[in-house]
Amino acid sequence: MSEGNNAIGESVEDFRLRARAWIKANLGPIQPFDLTQDCADDEEELVAVARDRALQRKLYDAGFAGLCFPKEYGGQGLTPEHNRAFNEELAGHEYPSRFTVPTFTPCATVIMEFGTPEQKAAHIPAILKGDEFWAQMLSEPGGGSDVAGATTSAVRDGDDWILNGAKVWTSRAWWHDWGIVLARTNWNVPKHQGLTVFLMRLQQPGVEIRRIERLNGESEACEEFMTDVRIPDSDRVGEIDGGWTVGQRWMFHERMGHNSPYVTQPVGLSHGRSEVTPVGIARQAGRLEDPAAQELIGESRALGLVANELQRRLASGAAAGKGNTDMSSVARLFRGMANVRQRTIAFDLAGAGAAGWTEEESDGVGVQGMEFLMRQVSCIGGGTTEISRNVIAERVLGMPREASGDKGVAFREVPRGPKRG
Ligand SMILES: Cc1cc2nc3c(=O)[nH]c(=O)nc-3n(C[C@H](O)[C@H](O)[C@H](O)COP(=O)(O)OP(=O)(O)OC[C@H]3O[C@@H](n4cnc5c(N)ncnc54)[C@H](O)[C@@H]3O)c2cc1C
């Protein structure tokens, strides 16, 4: 990618001015559910989904969708710096938040990197026009950390594949259009060598989607049961049994998350559940003049700044082809830990008011006990921080690999599940 100028030679600064004028004239103020993506019920959620589709289409029609995606596939062919400028101008404005992760990344980025020209032509413009939401289907009931241990099976049948198995924790799959799925196509080789990636329509017979209610009462997480789902070979991504090559880049893009240059969203957002600023919480709690509270506010801000800059540096390094792919785990780890600390700070700042379980009970301080309990989510979603530590130790720092009993063993022979007597 070129630095500073786009394909038609528009500098980042000229582009910024053009984007600013359009955003001010066409986009309203940011909505609460842009930040949290929380809706009161399914009906409200579907309204928000329809609104995001329309907003994405609006960006597309104005030539501001998919800034870093190639023009050939409906994007703008611009640089990460243009995307950054757009995101800065977008601050405080509404945006199609549900398209960011996982639709733009890792789903669209995986299709861009490994898809056939036909797959790219079919899906990238549809995504950028707001017609397709994509889910990522990696985790399985048997465990999400050992991604290469997937047991969802795909068996060749003529020009098709027949999928059977289950995936879990797929965010909001119940209204998504498509998913990328990691499946096992060869059980006679070690686990990393027998995987293949497929594109699968979610809303079709044979795919049963169930909702999972979480501790906080939300049911955005889903599990999918695939029974004899027929997928044409033309919807296979990458080589047969080459799914781990795709999977590694998939997880790289997932770890880049919201700070990927392929994502359009206002800068300065952290996608946590508690989006009230530390200053706002301290003000509500009457603690703005309290030196201890000021220190906590400073710590929280510093964590946010460092997380953003770290991700930004890794993103520009990745775009320039510099650095180890696994470096994205450093940012993922930092973001997870920072998020937990920031939510703990929010809780500390709020004082006794935050002890209420729900919003109504919590004295209007902006955080509640339930959110405190949910703070750990940022260390789990997108792969746990423990796994990030393993990746950093083994693949970035070159420390010895953790012992594993399945290395070099045909996956069929690897013991799974409880022993039966
Ligand atoms: C908000 C949210 C959204 C999510 N969205 C999606 C989604 O859209 N699609 C999807 O596929 N998945 C999704 N997930 C699932 C997520 O990727 C998994 O929860 C995660 O990878 C961990 O897998 P697991 O829950 O099965 O835990 P397990 O893999 O069973 O791990 C249990 C614990 O053991 C630790 N552990 C496991 N192996 C090791 C090891 N080798 N070394 C050290 N510690 C280890 C883990 O860190 C964890 O603490 C989502 C999760 C959350 C919380």
Side-chain angles (χ1 to χ4, degrees):
M1 276 184 204
S2 63
E3 293 278 319
N5 287 296
N6 69 21
I8 54 163
E10 187 178 23
S11 71
V12 173
E13 275 319 301
D14 287 350
F15 171 77
R16 179 191 290 280
L17 294 177
R18 186 163 65 86
R20 183 180 299 166
W22 184 84
I23 288 169
K24 281 194 186 319
N26 291 283
L27 298 180
I30 198 159
Q31 301 295 315
F33 49 78
D34 289 331
L35 297 163
T36 61
Q37 301 197 349
D38 288 345
C39 291
D41 52 37
D42 287 358
E43 206 177 321
E44 194 179 299
E45 171 101 14
L46 291 176
V47 170
V49 170
R51 167 190 168 270
D52 275 9
R53 287 191 196 270
L55 268 178
Q56 183 58 37
R57 179 70 201 212
K58 200 170 180 180
L59 287 169
Y60 180 86
D61 289 342
F64 289 115
L67 298 180
C68 289
F69 285 88
K71 280 187 165 241
E72 186 185 356
Y73 297 115
Q76 300 303 315
L78 298 174
T79 67
E81 289 73 23
H82 289 85
N83 195 58
R84 174 89 188 170
F86 190 83
N87 287 347
E88 283 168 2
E89 295 305 323
L90 204 53
H93 294 273
E94 62 180 350
Y95 74 108
S97 62
R98 284 165 178 72
F99 275 97
T100 55
V101 176
T103 297
F104 286 150
T105 195
C107 296
T109 48
V110 164
I111 296 171
M112 274 311 306
E113 228 175 282
F114 293 96
T116 61
E118 292 75 22
Q119 288 167 348
K120 291 181 205 175
H123 298 296
I124 303 298
I127 288 171
L128 298 182
K129 284 178 190 166
D131 293 340
E132 290 181 5
F133 276 104
W134 281 71
Q136 53 169 341
M137 301 166 74
L138 283 173
S139 304
E140 297 196 351
S145 298
D146 183 17
V147 175
T151 59
T152 292
S153 99
V155 176
R156 188 78 190 239
D157 182 32
D159 288 339
D160 295 341
W161 294 84
I162 311 290
L163 244 78
N164 280 284
K167 296 284 175 181
V168 71
W169 306 125
T170 317
S171 300
R172 301 185 166 90
W174 64 279
W175 52 256
H176 276 67
D177 305 295
W178 285 80
I180 36 176
V181 190
L182 183 72
R184 184 156 305 280
T185 40
N186 190 341
W187 298 70
N188 298 318
V189 290
K191 65 179 181 181
H192 295 95
Q193 297 168 23
L195 297 162
T196 305
V197 173
F198 297 94
L199 311 179
M200 184 181 80
R201 259 181 212 287
L202 273 167
Q203 313 301 332
Q204 62 162 307
V207 182
E208 186 193 340
I209 303 177
R210 291 192 203 154
R211 315 276 294 276
I212 303 172
E213 190 174 337
R214 294 200 310 215
L215 177 70
N216 61 357
E218 279 176 1
S219 47
E220 61 148 85
C222 298
E223 55 186 338
E224 302 80 38
F225 298 91
M226 280 82 71
T227 309
D228 294 335
V229 178
R230 194 167 278 275
I231 295 184
D233 188 53
S234 55
D235 282 343
R236 168 171 52 82
V237 180
E239 302 294 320
I240 297 173
D241 296 344
W244 193 241
T245 306
V246 181
Q248 281 174 298
R249 290 295 295 171
W250 174 346
M251 285 181 276
F252 163 76
H253 288 297
E254 183 184 27
R255 290 191 292 256
M256 295 295 286
H258 288 278
N259 283 294
S260 163
Y262 296 96
V263 164
T264 300
Q265 70 165 35
V267 291
L269 288 181
S270 89
H271 276 254
R273 231 137 276 282
S274 170
E275 293 298 337
V276 185
T277 64
V279 171
I281 295 170
R283 185 177 293 119
Q284 285 283 356
R287 295 187 61 197
L288 266 187
E289 302 304 321
D290 174 354
Q294 289 170 354
E295 212 163 290
L296 289 173
I297 292 168
E299 183 187 346
S300 182
R301 284 206 167 171
L303 285 169
L305 280 174
V306 173
N308 281 344
E309 289 311 307
L310 183 61
Q311 198 91 359
R312 185 177 168 178
R313 188 176 156 204
L314 290 168
S316 56
K322 288 184 208 147
N324 178 334
T325 308
D326 295 311
M327 289 290 284
S328 60
S329 288
V330 176
R332 190 270 168 273
L333 172 61
F334 189 85
R335 204 178 54 240
M337 305 309 289
N339 221 314
V340 172
R341 178 70 191 134
Q342 284 175 314
R343 291 199 206 177
T344 306
I345 287 174
F347 200 72
D348 283 352
L349 284 172
W357 199 243
T358 61
E359 209 171 324
E360 296 75 52
E361 292 167 3
S362 66
D363 245 5
V365 287
V367 278
Q368 308 103 46
M370 180 62 82
E371 292 189 348
F372 184 68
L373 280 185
M374 294 298 289
R375 73 198 184 288
Q376 209 62 31
V377 160
S378 63
C379 287
I380 302 171
T384 67
T385 43
E386 285 87 10
I387 296 301
S388 293
R389 289 180 201 275
N390 284 355
V391 172
I392 294 165
E394 295 173 7
R395 295 193 234 144
V396 179
L397 301 176
M399 292 166 79
R401 290 188 75 85
E402 132 179 75
S404 89
D406 52 18
K407 198 160 187 259
V409 179
F411 191 69
R412 184 180 295 290
E413 308 297 330
V414 176
R416 281 182 299 280
K419 274 201 177 128
R420 297 202 180 91

